[in-house]
């Protein structure tokens, strides 16, 4: 696909075998493949995180039951807020929006914990011809061993004889199922089951697509990150806009069923076959100037061999990743403690916006900041992500103090702080994965990307667990 016919990359351990130089694609074809992959990874990031973001944006509606019988009510753009707890100085739901956050993140946490241990055994896409070398060695006269990878771009496109990737299919089906289940739900419990499906879709997709970037130029990491930021902005903005216009939550969710279809189309129809990367160039020069995460690296390693890493090698790589994993955990803990623990409590009565509308605006502005910073890698690169973690913790302390003392006079000041919070979170995400891509060897990069995926999910899960008792405590205050 994409002009890659005839190109072939082999990883072989045959001693003394000379490697035949691979034909170079014409410049026009290489440029076409570059833009296909760039747009493909941007759309994958957008569609993969879309359902996750929409569920968080709908959290207040899911818990406040702003629906009549049949779950098809017309939503008043400016409803009068009715506090669930009249004795509290806060306008609280009986259940914190952190409950939706936990349903939206715990399945992702489980997937990401297990992914580095065995998910690599499932193929990305059989139509790319990623075959075990032991199956193809007889055809070419080479003695391949099980576990070696081969890329044969002249294989046909997906067809019944070439089954599609189970990872991506499950991700797309779960995303669609989440919209349908929440849209037709008549109870909070059923709605939370739909949120769990969105979490499975997002978690499985993220660990799959981030690991897949190991087979492409490092620039696709920036496109993927920008797409995930776009998912936040477009997901929150679309839910806010459609409900603000008077569309019911049910019809709003059903209108988003085209997003999972775009994800599948982007993966199976838009991405080109992975190309061997040329040595030299700007990326290699920048990488050479960095200190590697681990001291010993295989000189001739290739991406795609993470399945052959021993447990000791994986542990060594993971310890080297902690320099980036810990700050990202802290960043996401602080920002999601704000988002799902404090947003609902930062309620201003001196504004025309209802409580539900204020919550949606917080989510939208946060996602706008995330999108801007995740798309800024070419303009601003940050090596020391610890600084971002510290600044995000200061945000948490400041807003928690405002919830307790109520010293901010206007909601628009909170809007600015929330936008800034999103900028910090997005910058931490994209720079963490960019730095890891530069500082890991080809042999370890796929595993490193999959392992680091746990950072944001772990931070979000911890924040949700702590936000629940905080919500109950504050809402009991008179």
């Amino acid at each position: 696909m994409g002009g890659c016919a005839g190109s072939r990359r082999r990883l072989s351990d045959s001693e003394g075998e000379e490697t035949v130089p691979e034909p170079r694609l014409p410049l026009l074809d290489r440029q076409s493949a570059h833009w296909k992959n760039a747009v493909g990874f941007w759309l994958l990031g957008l569609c993969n995180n879309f359902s996750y973001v929409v569920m968080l944006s709908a959290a207040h509606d899911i818990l406040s039951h702003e629906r009549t019988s049949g779950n098809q009510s017309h939503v008043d753009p400016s409803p009068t807020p009715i506090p669930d707890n009249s004795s509290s100085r806060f306008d609280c739901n009986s259940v914190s929006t952190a409950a939706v956050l936990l349903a939206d993140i715990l399945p992702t946490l489980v997937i990401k914990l297990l992914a580095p241990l065995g998910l690599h055994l499932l193929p990305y896409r059989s139509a790319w011809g990623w075959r075990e070398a032991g199956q193809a060695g007889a055809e070419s006269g080479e003695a391949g061993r099980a576990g070696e990878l081969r890329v044969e771009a002249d294989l046909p496109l997906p067809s019944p004889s070439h089954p599609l990737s189970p990872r991506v299919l499950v991700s797309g089906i779960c995303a669609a199922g989440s919209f349908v289940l929440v849209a037709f739900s008549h109870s909070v419990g059923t709605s939370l089951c739909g949120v769990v499906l969105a979490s499975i879709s997002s978690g499985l997709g993220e660990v799959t697509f981030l690991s897949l970037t190991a087979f492409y130029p490092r620039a696709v990491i920036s496109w993927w990150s920008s797409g995930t930021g776009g998912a936040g902005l477009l997901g929150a903005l679309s839910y806010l806009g459609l409900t603000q216009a008077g569309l019911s939550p049910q019809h709003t969710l059903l209108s988003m069923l085209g997003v999972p279809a775009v994800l599948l189309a982007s993966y199976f129809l838009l991405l080109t076959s992975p190309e061997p990367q040329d040595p030299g160039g700007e990326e290699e020069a920048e990488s050479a100037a960095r200190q590697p995460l681990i001291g010993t690296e295989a000189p001739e390693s290739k991406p795609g061999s993470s399945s052959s890493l021993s447990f000791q090698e994986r542990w060594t790589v993971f310890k080297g990743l902690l320099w980036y994993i810990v700050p990202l955990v802290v960043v996401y803990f602080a920002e999601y403690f704000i988002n799902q623990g404090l947003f609902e409590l930062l309620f201003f009565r001196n504004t025309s916006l209802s409580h539900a509308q204020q919550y949606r605006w917080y989510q939208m502005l946060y996602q706008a900041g995330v999108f801007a910073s995740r798309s800024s890698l070419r303009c601003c690169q940050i090596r020391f992500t610890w600084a971002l973690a510290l600044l995000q913790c200061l945000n948490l302390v400041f807003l928690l103090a405002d919830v307790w003392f109520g010293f901010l006079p206007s909601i628009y000041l909170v809007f600015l702080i929330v936008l800034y919070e999103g900028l910090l979170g997005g910058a931490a995400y994209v720079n963490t994965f960019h730095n890891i891509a530069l500082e890991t060897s080809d042999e370890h990069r796929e595993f490193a990307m999959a392992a680091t995926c746990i950072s944001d999910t772990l931070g979000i899960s911890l924040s949700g667990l702590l936000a629940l008792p905080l919500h109950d405590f504050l809402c009991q205050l008179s």
Side-chain angles (χ1 to χ4, degrees), residues 182-208:
V182 175
F184 290 103
S185 169
H186 295 280
S187 67
V188 172
T190 305
S191 296
L192 291 180
C193 290
V195 176
V196 167
L197 287 180
S199 177
I200 294 172
S201 169
S202 176
L204 184 60
E206 183 178 9
V207 73
T208 296

Coordinates of all heavy atoms in Angstrom, one line a residue, residues 182-208:
V182 N -24.6 4.0 26.7 CA -24.9 5.2 27.5 C -26.1 5.9 27.0 O -26.9 6.5 27.8 CB -23.6 6.1 27.6 CG1 -23.9 7.4 28.4 CG2 -22.4 5.4 28.3
A183 N -26.2 6.0 25.7 CA -27.3 6.8 25.1 C -28.7 6.1 25.5 O -29.6 6.9 25.8 CB -27.2 6.8 23.6
F184 N -28.8 4.8 25.5 CA -30.0 4.2 25.8 C -30.2 3.7 27.3 O -31.1 3.0 27.6 CB -30.2 3.0 24.9 CG -30.5 3.4 23.4 CD1 -29.5 3.3 22.5 CD2 -31.7 3.9 23.0 CE1 -29.7 3.7 21.2 CE2 -31.9 4.2 21.7 CZ -30.9 4.1 20.8
S185 N -29.2 4.1 28.1 CA -29.3 3.7 29.5 C -30.4 4.4 30.3 O -30.8 5.5 30.0 CB -27.9 4.1 30.2 OG -28.0 3.9 31.5
H186 N -30.9 3.7 31.2 CA -32.0 4.2 32.1 C -31.5 4.3 33.6 O -32.3 4.6 34.5 CB -33.3 3.4 32.0 CG -33.9 3.4 30.7 ND1 -34.7 4.4 30.3 CD2 -33.8 2.5 29.7 CE1 -35.1 4.1 29.0 NE2 -34.6 3.0 28.7
S187 N -30.2 4.0 33.8 CA -29.7 4.0 35.2 C -28.2 4.4 35.2 O -27.6 4.2 34.1 CB -29.9 2.6 35.9 OG -29.1 1.6 35.2
V188 N -27.8 4.8 36.3 CA -26.4 5.2 36.4 C -25.5 4.0 36.2 O -24.4 4.0 35.6 CB -26.1 5.9 37.8 CG1 -24.6 6.1 38.0 CG2 -26.8 7.2 37.9
G189 N -25.9 2.8 36.8 CA -25.1 1.6 36.7 C -24.9 1.2 35.2 O -23.8 0.8 34.8
T190 N -26.0 1.2 34.4 CA -25.8 0.9 33.0 C -24.9 1.9 32.3 O -24.1 1.5 31.4 CB -27.2 0.8 32.4 OG1 -28.0 -0.1 33.1 CG2 -27.1 0.3 30.9
S191 N -25.1 3.1 32.6 CA -24.3 4.1 32.0 C -22.8 3.9 32.3 O -21.9 4.1 31.4 CB -24.7 5.5 32.4 OG -26.0 5.8 32.0
L192 N -22.5 3.6 33.5 CA -21.1 3.3 33.9 C -20.5 2.1 33.1 O -19.3 2.0 32.8 CB -21.0 3.1 35.4 CG -21.2 4.3 36.3 CD1 -21.1 4.0 37.7 CD2 -20.3 5.5 35.9
C193 N -21.4 1.1 32.8 CA -20.9 0.0 32.0 C -20.5 0.5 30.6 O -19.5 0.0 30.0 CB -22.0 -1.1 31.9 SG -22.3 -2.0 33.4
G194 N -21.3 1.4 30.1 CA -20.9 2.0 28.8 C -19.6 2.8 28.9 O -18.8 2.7 27.9
V195 N -19.4 3.5 30.0 CA -18.1 4.2 30.2 C -17.0 3.2 30.2 O -15.9 3.5 29.7 CB -18.2 5.0 31.5 CG1 -16.9 5.7 31.8 CG2 -19.3 6.1 31.4
V196 N -17.2 2.0 30.8 CA -16.1 1.0 30.9 C -15.8 0.6 29.5 O -14.6 0.4 29.2 CB -16.6 -0.2 31.7 CG1 -15.7 -1.4 31.5 CG2 -16.7 0.2 33.2
L197 N -16.7 0.4 28.6 CA -16.4 0.1 27.2 C -15.6 1.1 26.5 O -14.6 0.8 25.8 CB -17.7 -0.1 26.4 CG -18.5 -1.4 26.7 CD1 -19.8 -1.4 25.8 CD2 -17.7 -2.6 26.4
A198 N -15.9 2.4 26.8 CA -15.0 3.5 26.3 C -13.6 3.4 26.8 O -12.6 3.7 26.1 CB -15.6 4.8 26.6
S199 N -13.5 3.0 28.1 CA -12.1 2.9 28.7 C -11.4 1.7 28.0 O -10.2 1.9 27.7 CB -12.3 2.6 30.1 OG -11.0 2.4 30.7
I200 N -12.0 0.6 27.8 CA -11.4 -0.5 27.1 C -10.9 -0.1 25.7 O -9.8 -0.4 25.3 CB -12.3 -1.7 27.0 CG1 -12.6 -2.3 28.4 CG2 -11.7 -2.8 26.1 CD1 -13.7 -3.3 28.4
S201 N -11.7 0.6 25.0 CA -11.4 1.1 23.6 C -10.2 2.0 23.7 O -9.2 1.8 22.9 CB -12.6 1.8 23.0 OG -12.2 2.4 21.8
S202 N -10.2 3.0 24.5 CA -9.1 3.9 24.6 C -7.8 3.3 25.1 O -6.7 3.6 24.5 CB -9.5 5.1 25.5 OG -8.5 6.0 25.7
G203 N -7.9 2.5 26.1 CA -6.6 1.9 26.6 C -6.0 0.9 25.6 O -4.8 1.0 25.4
L204 N -6.8 0.0 25.0 CA -6.2 -0.9 24.1 C -5.7 -0.2 22.9 O -4.6 -0.5 22.3 CB -7.3 -1.9 23.7 CG -6.9 -3.0 22.7 CD1 -5.8 -3.9 23.4 CD2 -8.1 -3.9 22.4
G205 N -6.4 0.8 22.4 CA -5.9 1.6 21.2 C -4.7 2.3 21.5 O -3.7 2.4 20.7
E206 N -4.6 3.0 22.7 CA -3.4 3.8 23.0 C -2.1 2.9 23.1 O -1.1 3.3 22.5 CB -3.5 4.5 24.3 CG -2.4 5.4 24.6 CD -2.6 6.2 25.9 OE1 -3.5 6.0 26.6 OE2 -1.7 7.1 26.1
V207 N -2.2 1.8 23.8 CA -1.0 1.0 23.9 C -0.6 0.3 22.5 O 0.5 0.1 22.2 CB -1.2 -0.1 25.0 CG1 -2.1 -1.2 24.5 CG2 0.1 -0.7 25.4
T208 N -1.6 0.1 21.7 CA -1.3 -0.5 20.4 C -0.7 0.6 19.5 O 0.4 0.3 18.8 CB -2.7 -1.0 19.7 OG1 -3.2 -2.1 20.5 CG2 -2.4 -1.4 18.3

